[in-house]
């Protein structure tokens, strides 16, 4: 088949979809990768893939400009004449699906990796734009195959009535190379707590900072690291003044955007994600689990799929910094418990979330298989 994978960044394709792309190439499919231009597109070409730059504004809201984008995607699909297109992230899902319908693409697959600000936040802005987003989803998803990463997200959109005319699947995550992300003895035995997340309010950054201060009152030698960068185009991005104030307090090391995520995971004692809203299957926890790290996460969709309380990690209520601090302190004080939870977390990744089973399930969706 001729297959198109369309995402809103070339970084996403390179970091999350290479195993799928390689599997499709290995079975003889003709593959075209589409995304806005960036530094990773040339890297994809160096690996022998056909990558095409397709500009899409992440935060644009000008109706004429957005319609022009849909028309541009339609023209490209009409030229390429793919047998199947697979879209990732909300704009690519909506615009790509509408364009594919206009271009007569036979099979359209859409990955809804998370529900996002409009459907999860409770701010006035979110409530105002929610009907618009739902209407667009209802229009775009009609007649397509829709992949969710967890059943909670599937059920939420189903309750809104946007999936009645879609094929619906749950494929748990983007997959992970469990040979690359593997346990390794840390260079030191420093108690180190790592959170990887965009610096958004809904990622629980404030709760992580507060928990760090509480834990360090009893464990002053504990290191708390936060790897991630602000997202200025997101309405929940944390302001620079707050970030600077927290950095000055000295309880958390703000590492910024990092490319050495494997080394950071292997060197930590505990991995945390303090989201106050739902996730798909959070990549940060998945990478840490593959490295056999004990996990502490909030009891929200996506996190609770990977983190089984008392088995692969510890779940705490969202927005509760004291509970987060107590869970972290408990694990810091019990090395055998950390080891047991970490081993179980990696076993769960191997059985359910590794590249092999995820690619197999994705190819079944391409073929029209039912779950």
């Amino acid at each position: 088949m001729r297959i198109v994978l369309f995402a809103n960044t070339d970084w996403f394709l390179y970091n999350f979809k290479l195993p799928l792309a390689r599997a499709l190439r290995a079975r003889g499919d003709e593959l075209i990768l589409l995304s806005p231009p960036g530094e990773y597109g040339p890297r994809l070409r160096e690996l022998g893939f056909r990558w095409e730059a397709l500009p899409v504004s992440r935060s644009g809201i000008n109706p004429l400009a957005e319609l022009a984008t849909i028309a541009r995607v339609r023209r490209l699909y009409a030229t390429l004449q793919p047998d199947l297109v697979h879209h990732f992230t909300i704009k690519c899902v909506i615009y790509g699906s509408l364009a594919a319908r206009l271009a007569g693409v036979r099979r359209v697959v859409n990955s809804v990796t998370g529900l996002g600000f409009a459907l999860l936040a409770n701010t006035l802005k979110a409530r105002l734009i929610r009907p618009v987003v739902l209407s667009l989803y209802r229009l775009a998803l009609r007649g397509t195959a829709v992949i969710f990463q967890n059943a909670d997200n599937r059920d939420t959109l189903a309750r809104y009535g946007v999936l009645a005319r879609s094929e619906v699947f749950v494929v748990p995550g983007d997959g992970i190379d469990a040979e690359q992300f593997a346990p390794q003895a840390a260079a030191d035995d420093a108690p180190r707590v790592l959170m990887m997340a965009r610096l958004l309010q809904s990622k629980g950054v404030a709760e992580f900072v507060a928990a760090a201060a509480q834990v360090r009152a009893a464990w002053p030698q504990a290191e708390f690291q936060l790897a991630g960068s602000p997202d200025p185009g997101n309405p929940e991005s944390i302001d620079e003044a707050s970030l600077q104030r927290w950095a000055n307090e000295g309880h958390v090391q703000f590492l910024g955007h990092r490319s050495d995520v494997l080394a950071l995971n292997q060197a930590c004692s505990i991995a945390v994600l303090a989201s106050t809203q739902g996730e798909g299957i959070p990549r940060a926890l998945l990478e840490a689990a593959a490295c056999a790290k004990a996990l502490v996460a909030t009891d929200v969709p996506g996190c609770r799929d990977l983190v089984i309380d008392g088995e692969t990690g510890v779940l705490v209520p969202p927005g509760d910094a004291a509970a987060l601090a107590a869970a972290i302190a408990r694990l810091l004080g019990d090395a055998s418990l950390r080891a047991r939870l970490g081993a179980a977390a990696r076993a769960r990744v191997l059985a359910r979330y590794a590249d092999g089973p995820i690619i197999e399930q994705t190819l079944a969706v391409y073929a029209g298989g039912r779950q």
Side-chain angles (χ1 to χ4, degrees):
M1 293 195 297
R2 176 177 289 179
I3 295 174
V4 169
L5 305 184
F6 179 24
N8 70 344
T9 65
D10 53 346
W11 177 91
F12 178 92
L13 292 172
Y14 186 88
N15 285 282
F16 293 167
K17 292 302 159 189
L18 264 183
L20 174 61
R22 286 174 169 141
L24 292 171
R25 182 169 64 182
R27 76 173 192 173
D29 292 311
E30 181 184 354
L31 184 64
I32 302 103
L33 305 176
L34 298 180
S35 74
E39 65 176 291
Y40 288 88
R43 298 189 195 185
L44 291 167
R45 286 176 175 164
E46 289 172 5
L47 294 173
F49 292 103
R50 178 180 174 184
W51 169 78
E52 301 288 344
L54 181 62
V56 177
S57 169
R58 225 182 115 202
S59 56
I61 56 173
N62 182 300
L64 292 179
E66 302 307 287
L67 287 172
T69 298
I70 295 173
R72 188 162 56 247
V73 179
R74 183 203 65 79
R75 288 193 298 270
L76 182 57
Y77 283 177
T79 299
L80 294 174
Q81 295 187 327
D83 300 293
L84 180 148
V85 292
H86 189 169
H87 305 124
F88 308 90
T89 65
I90 182 169
K91 269 201 173 182
C92 297
V93 164
I94 292 173
Y95 293 4
S97 295
L98 296 176
R101 187 174 301 142
L102 293 170
V105 177
R106 183 167 56 89
R107 185 156 181 80
V108 179
V109 178
N110 289 309
S111 283
V112 178
T113 55
L115 298 185
F117 170 79
L119 299 185
L120 294 177
N122 199 35
T123 65
L124 177 60
K125 181 176 181 179
R127 293 196 299 271
L128 288 174
I129 64 176
R130 187 171 298 149
V132 176
V133 172
L134 288 171
S135 296
L136 290 170
Y137 264 140
R138 189 174 291 110
L139 178 63
L141 299 181
R142 174 169 53 89
T144 74
V146 186
I147 298 175
F148 293 91
Q149 293 192 344
N150 63 66
D152 286 288
N153 287 355
R154 176 200 63 194
D155 295 345
T156 296
L157 271 192
R159 283 194 297 271
Y160 281 120
V162 302
L163 300 176
R165 301 178 66 181
S166 304
E167 298 175 61
V168 181
F169 303 85
V170 174
V171 176
D174 290 305
I176 189 167
D177 185 344
E179 293 184 4
Q180 177 190 11
F181 283 87
Q184 185 177 76
D188 56 54
D189 58 357
R192 189 172 292 118
V193 182
L194 173 68
M195 184 162 109
M196 290 194 182
R198 287 179 296 160
L199 301 184
L200 306 178
Q201 297 168 19
S202 61
K203 296 300 182 182
V205 174
E207 289 81 0
F208 183 69
V209 172
Q214 294 178 40
V215 172
R216 281 171 51 82
W219 291 78
Q221 73 276 33
E223 298 177 15
F224 282 75
Q225 299 177 331
L226 179 53
S229 56
D231 187 358
N234 191 302
E236 293 191 312
S237 188
I238 297 173
D239 62 275
E240 287 293 335
S242 295
L243 295 175
Q244 189 59 57
R245 183 179 73 255
W246 290 334
N248 291 341
E249 290 171 358
H251 296 298
V252 174
Q253 303 169 27
F254 285 82
L255 305 181
H257 176 76
R258 296 288 288 261
S259 58
D260 57 340
V261 295
L262 174 59
L264 288 173
N265 276 298
Q266 290 176 333
C268 77
S269 309
I270 301 165
V272 172
L273 188 58
S275 291
T276 58
Q277 297 176 358
E279 302 278 338
I281 295 294
R283 184 77 180 188
L285 291 181
L286 196 59
E287 291 170 343
C291 293
K293 300 301 178 180
L295 309 173
V296 177
T298 43
D299 189 4
V300 297
C303 290
R304 60 174 169 248
D305 288 64
L306 177 59
V307 182
I308 309 302
D309 191 43
E311 181 180 326
T312 63
V314 180
L315 288 175
V316 299
D320 190 336
L324 182 63
I328 293 170
R330 176 187 169 204
L331 292 180
L332 286 176
D334 193 335
S336 63
L337 177 59
R338 292 200 309 271
R340 177 173 66 80
L341 296 177
R346 177 166 172 82
R348 185 165 176 80
V349 168
L350 293 174
R352 184 172 172 84
Y353 299 104
D355 282 337
I358 294 299
I359 291 171
E360 182 180 348
Q361 292 173 68
T362 303
L363 296 183
V365 174
Y366 287 5
R370 299 277 177 178
Q371 288 190 341

